[in-house]
Amino acid sequence: MSSLMEHLASFLTSPVRLVLSIVGFGGKQSNPKGRHPRIYVHAQDPELNRRYANEMASSKAEAEGTYCLMCMDLDCLKTPPRERGARAPGAVSLEMRNVLEFREKGDAGCPICAMICGASEMLFGSGSIDGSGSDDETLVKISIGFQPMIELQFDRPREQRKNELPTIYQLYAPADSIGGGIPLTAFLEGRDVNGDSGSEACFAFAKSCLEHCLEKHKICRKSASASITPTRLVYLGSSNSEIKLVEHSSGTVTQFAALSYCWGKTVPIVTKTDTIAARKAGLEWNALPPVFQDAVTVTRNMGLQYLWIDSLCIIQDSSEDWQIESSRMADIYQGAHFTIAVGSSDSCGIPFLKSRPRKGPAHPMTLKTDDRDGNSYCLKAREPAPPHHTDDEPLNARAWTYQERILSSRILHYTTNELVWECRRGIRCECQSHDDPPTTIGLPEEAFLEGEGAVGNSRSTDPRIVDPFLAWQGGLGNYTRRRITYLSDKLPALSGMAKVVQQRTGWSYLAGLWREQLLNDLQWDVLDYEFSSKRSLDVYRAPTFSWASLEVNSRYPYHENAASFKSYTKVLDAGCIPDGLNPLGAVKDGFAKLEGPVVQQMLSCLDPLEPRNCSIDFPKPKNYPWNDLRINLDIPLGEKSRNGRSTVQRLLPGEDFKPFQAPVSLLLLGNNVEGTPVALILGESSRVDEAYERLGISYLTYYRDDPKFIYQRAERKVITLV
């Protein structure tokens, strides 16, 4: 007899995400008389809701008498959410029973309630279901998506929990044990996470992911086979005595793996001008740091004989070789058969093929319970790994690895808790909880796929997925918050990404900005919690109109609406002078010549404790009572003298902030999507006569409804930014 949950499972191949959260209230204060927990059902598409409801309605008669109403009767989904007055399109809410009724309904024969109660009692004690632990809260979460799951969460009342986090367990059963009376099997199937990342089971999982991608994913095959072989590779051979550095002639093609890792505080073994001959003769196994040794092991197990490691394949004391090879990062990572991403190690001295931590998904508990016919079966409960598993790993705090991940066609992530396979068509993880078709939510790097890469993508019509410029702006916050060892690497570490954008658009690059999109590109701002301590750099890195001129967390708050920007300024000329052989790398000078409306105003920074608190003496339009002019300074500023005139400039290293009031120029770029005039705050340049430097950006909200009020007070001028 088909069940409701079998009909739910039929929707797992559709791009729909439903979440059912059953929340129990604990304690007298948190559970007012008559108040019941709620089930919240969320979906992305009302039409899918209706399809989903029709399937469930047809199964109701069959399921009657087997499942309780909470587990069966979701016919509310038959009514379109808009007509039910729900909180948002695609979401409905339905009041259900008190959480303590789980036990009653389970005893009455509902197998799902019985299973949840049994698991909760074994994990959290009998008080979690019989009312004796009523000061605590229990939450049951059933997620229906590309990979369904059930999670149990046990939490103490807020006033008792102190700094404790809730205890969360994910229920699952390996595929070979599914059946035998286990209810809700579609929600419980999962893979065991092996206790050692160097085990045969882990290598088998990695190889199966690679084989599946090679067989099924045309876009991945196309990308990884499009590039030539790097100048140098590490040849692995069949034994550790055969490892050596080799050079390839131009135009040859060889399958290879690439390594993405953290150097750490100690410099790993490197290739230099005076050691390259020795590296070609052979690399001693014991001279390789643990991360390199483990990468060799992984590459061999995946069937390849060549590995690219930056410290060995780039001549580290040759500025010329470093510039040439760093400019080829796009080709290297796109052309790699796969990339080994060592997410869990913050140093090349820490191996990544090792035992997994005891606290994590690799060490589940086994729960024995009975089905409705009295037969025993086993479930497993484990601490869930975070979604996609890689966001908090040390590797993702490093600037260079930002483009390494985006540009790679296939990535094998060695994370703290498990293996994660990521390619251009999806994600697979050891535990199976987060297996997913194309990863689009919050990943602007998807825009760097060719158009074919959007096939099967639920957001293929989203301009962020197909527009490289919007993806470039959308990823700025992720990149600028990462650490970089050498400040001069800020632009070179992004040059591979820049090369991809330039190849797709033909645009001219300006130290992290694009000339053809310059008026939009100038609208970055700073969101940095360490603002007060920030200063200009000791050495020149980029013109001040580029975010790369500072070591701050930058972003484009309106990048999704860039096409709606109405410009009142023209770009007359702009350019940068490369500092070396990489035209998309470091620069030694740059300028932008603009013509637009300019207003002279006084900038006041009078708070001695908070240098970002400032004001500009703009006149308010009549009947405008709010004081919501937004001023975003790039870093703390100071009053300076330039050719006998008072002006404002960025503070230099070692300079303390002092309150001031001094004149600045505001270049009105145009109106953003909200109709608000956007202005760059400028001061006279300390380096170049008759030129200006960027100090910040302002959103002149006063004039949103009447922008002419400010533009009529401006004088049109030609401004040179440096």
Side-chain angles (χ1 to χ4, degrees):
M1 179 171 58
S2 69
S3 68
L4 164 69
M5 294 308 165
E6 290 172 331
H7 284 280
L8 296 183
S10 70
F11 282 86
L12 299 182
T13 56
S14 301
V16 60
R17 173 76 63 178
L18 303 179
V19 178
L20 286 70
S21 295
I22 311 168
V23 184
F25 303 93
K28 296 180 179 179
Q29 299 298 321
S30 59
N31 188 16
K33 185 177 180 180
R35 187 177 180 186
H36 300 283
R38 288 178 169 85
I39 290 184
Y40 293 111
V41 187
H42 306 280
Q44 292 179 338
D45 191 330
E47 176 59 30
L48 286 173
N49 276 343
R50 289 189 287 272
R51 286 177 47 211
Y52 177 76
N54 291 336
E55 289 286 343
M56 288 191 296
S58 66
S59 69
K60 181 177 178 180
E62 286 186 280
E64 201 83 56
T66 303
Y67 295 103
C68 68
L69 287 177
M70 184 176 70
C71 298
M72 179 195 70
D73 191 4
L74 295 177
D75 286 358
C76 60
L77 291 176
K78 188 181 300 183
T79 304
R82 292 181 186 273
E83 298 176 16
R84 301 187 71 254
R87 293 175 297 171
V92 296
S93 62
L94 177 66
E95 282 203 0
M96 299 298 286
R97 61 193 183 177
N98 189 285
V99 71
L100 296 181
E101 293 182 37
F102 270 116
R103 182 166 188 169
E104 177 185 338
K105 297 299 183 182
D107 291 343
C110 177
I112 300 174
C113 287
M115 179 192 68
I116 290 174
C117 280
S120 180
E121 184 173 8
M122 284 183 279
L123 290 169
F124 308 129
S126 59
S128 65
I129 62 169
D130 65 11
S132 62
S134 59
D135 284 340
D136 299 320
E137 297 178 335
T138 302
L139 180 147
V140 180
K141 181 179 180 181
I142 304 177
S143 297
I144 310 173
F146 293 117
Q147 182 59 47
M149 70 182 75
I150 297 178
E151 291 182 356
L152 300 180
Q153 174 176 313
F154 188 71
D155 200 4
R156 298 189 182 280
R158 183 172 300 176
E159 62 273 12
Q160 297 180 18
R161 74 177 60 145
K162 299 179 181 179
N163 294 324
E164 297 177 5
L165 295 175
T167 302
I168 302 176
Y169 288 100
Q170 177 194 10
L171 301 182
Y172 78 103
D176 56 5
S177 66
I178 288 292
I182 300 180
L184 216 59
T185 57
F187 291 80
L188 290 169
E189 182 177 347
R191 288 186 287 260
D192 282 324
V193 175
N194 196 276
D196 192 310
S197 58
S199 65
E200 288 300 319
C202 285
F203 287 129
F205 169 77
K207 285 187 280 190
S208 70
C209 291
L210 176 60
E211 291 167 359
H212 178 82
C213 180
L214 290 172
E215 179 182 354
K216 302 292 185 179
H217 300 164
K218 180 180 178 181
I219 184 61
C220 299
R221 294 196 305 271
K222 179 180 177 181
S223 174
S225 63
S227 299
I228 62 173
T229 302
T231 304
R232 303 176 193 90
L233 287 170
V234 177
Y235 172 70
L236 307 183
S238 57
S239 68
N240 294 341
S241 62
E242 298 179 40
I243 302 174
K244 62 182 178 180
L245 186 70
V246 295
E247 291 187 338
H248 287 266
S249 59
S250 177
T252 59
V253 177
T254 301
Q255 285 188 349
F256 66 96
L259 181 63
S260 179
Y261 69 106
C262 295
W263 280 36
K265 295 181 179 180
T266 58
V267 177
I269 181 174
V270 298
T271 296
K272 294 185 177 181
T273 306
D274 59 353
T275 61
I276 187 170
R279 302 284 182 256
K280 291 179 180 180
L283 286 162
E284 292 290 336
W285 177 257
N286 292 332
L288 300 177
V291 163
F292 291 11
Q293 293 178 352
D294 286 351
V296 169
T297 301
V298 171
T299 305
R300 284 174 174 164
N301 272 276
M302 298 292 278
L304 300 184
Q305 288 290 301
Y306 293 94
L307 175 63
W308 189 87
I309 304 175
D310 59 354
S311 71
L312 293 174
C313 298
I314 300 175
I315 303 175
Q316 297 296 317
D317 62 348
S318 169
S319 176
E320 178 180 352
D321 191 73
W322 190 90
Q323 291 176 43
I324 292 174
E325 295 302 310
S326 65
S327 70
R328 303 183 64 201
M329 289 299 181
D331 296 327
I332 291 172
Y333 282 95
Q334 285 186 122
H337 202 54
F338 69 95
T339 295
I340 304 168
V342 187
S344 60
S345 299
D346 61 3
S347 166
C348 63
I350 302 175
F352 62 89
L353 297 181
K354 57 185 179 181
S355 297
R356 263 76 181 259
R358 294 292 303 176
K359 187 177 177 64
H363 300 281
M365 292 186 291
T366 299
L367 310 177
K368 293 184 178 180
T369 188
D370 297 331
D371 64 17
R372 60 191 175 208
D373 298 322
N375 301 314
S376 297
Y377 64 89
C378 291
L379 293 177
K380 292 187 177 182
R382 61 186 172 198
E383 296 184 28
H388 301 313
H389 309 61
T390 57
D391 292 341
D392 296 326
E393 301 287 353
L395 186 69
N396 291 318
R398 181 173 172 249
W400 277 97
T401 62
Y402 175 71
Q403 68 172 8
E404 293 171 6
R405 178 180 180 184
I406 294 173
L407 295 174
S408 295
S409 300
R410 309 180 184 96
I411 312 175
L412 182 59
H413 295 278
Y414 278 85
T415 76
T416 301
N417 291 305
E418 62 172 339
L419 286 183
V420 178
W421 174 268
E422 181 179 6
C423 70
R424 295 193 169 195
R425 294 301 300 272
I427 280 182
R428 293 183 69 193
C429 61
E430 270 187 273
C431 73
Q432 194 173 330
S433 299
H434 302 288
D435 285 8
D436 215 355
T439 53
T440 59
I441 305 299
L443 292 178
E445 52 261 44
E446 288 293 325
F448 292 91
L449 302 181
E450 299 291 339
E452 185 180 353
V455 174
N457 192 320
S458 62
R459 297 179 64 191
S460 60
T461 58
D462 190 325
R464 289 172 296 179
I465 304 303
V466 296
D467 189 319
F469 170 68
L470 296 184
W472 177 270
Q473 285 199 341
L476 179 65
N478 189 336
Y479 179 69
T480 57
R481 68 171 173 258
R482 295 174 176 234
R483 298 189 301 271
I484 197 157
T485 303
Y486 302 103
L487 294 180
S488 58
D489 286 357
K490 195 73 168 186
L491 290 171
L494 204 59
S495 62
M497 294 273 289
K499 184 175 182 178
V500 172
V501 174
Q502 190 174 68
Q503 287 173 340
R504 294 192 61 189
T505 63
W507 293 339
S508 300
Y509 192 56
L510 298 172
L513 284 64
W514 300 96
R515 175 171 173 168
E516 288 76 7
Q517 297 286 345
L518 186 56
L519 295 180
N520 275 312
D521 257 345
L522 290 171
Q523 297 177 51
W524 54 272
D525 68 16
V526 174
L527 184 65
D528 202 310
Y529 296 109
E530 299 178 356
F531 177 88
S532 297
S533 64
K534 297 297 182 179
R535 296 295 185 268
S536 296
L537 301 181
D538 286 324
V539 296
Y540 183 90
R541 190 168 71 182
T544 63
F545 58 80
S546 169
W547 50 265
S549 64
L550 298 168
E551 196 61 27
V552 293
N553 295 341
S554 307
R555 61 172 187 165
Y556 284 99
Y558 293 99
H559 77 277
E560 293 181 349
N561 305 111
S564 301
F565 184 73
K566 184 177 180 180
S567 173
Y568 288 96
T569 294
K570 295 194 303 183
V571 178
L572 301 180
D573 197 6
C576 284
I577 302 175
D579 186 11
L581 301 177
N582 184 357
L584 304 176
V587 300
K588 55 186 176 184
D589 209 348
F591 76 98
K593 191 175 183 180
L594 310 174
E595 180 186 340
V598 177
V599 180
Q600 304 290 332
Q601 299 293 150
M602 294 296 293
L603 174 67
S604 300
C605 296
L606 303 177
D607 187 340
L609 300 179
E610 183 47 78
R612 83 175 81 202
N613 288 345
C614 58
S615 63
I616 297 177
D617 61 341
F618 274 111
K620 289 185 182 179
K622 286 184 178 181
N623 302 320
Y624 194 92
W626 300 284
N627 184 24
D628 58 355
L629 181 68
R630 289 173 52 197
I631 302 173
N632 293 75
L633 303 182
D634 296 340
I635 63 170
L637 307 175
E639 183 178 8
K640 304 289 182 70
S641 177
R642 175 66 170 163
N643 296 329
R645 297 184 300 273
S646 175
T647 188
V648 180
Q649 295 175 357
R650 295 172 173 177
L651 288 183
L652 299 171
E655 291 184 336
D656 294 327
F657 171 74
K658 297 177 181 179
F660 69 90
Q661 188 175 46
V664 294
S665 297
L666 286 97
L667 175 62
L668 303 171
L669 298 177
N671 297 346
N672 66 16
V673 66
E674 299 172 347
T676 299
V678 180
L680 293 185
I681 306 172
L682 308 174
E684 291 189 46
S685 173
S686 60
R687 296 190 307 116
V688 182
D689 289 337
E690 305 300 326
Y692 292 82
E693 297 179 356
R694 173 179 157 136
L695 307 174
I697 191 168
S698 181
Y699 304 94
L700 310 182
T701 319
Y702 290 163
Y703 314 109
R704 178 184 300 166
D705 299 324
D706 185 16
K708 292 181 180 179
F709 184 89
I710 184 62
Y711 287 112
Q712 289 173 351
R713 286 161 173 74
E715 179 184 357
R716 195 162 187 87
K717 291 184 177 181
V718 174
I719 291 281
T720 299
L721 303 181
V722 294

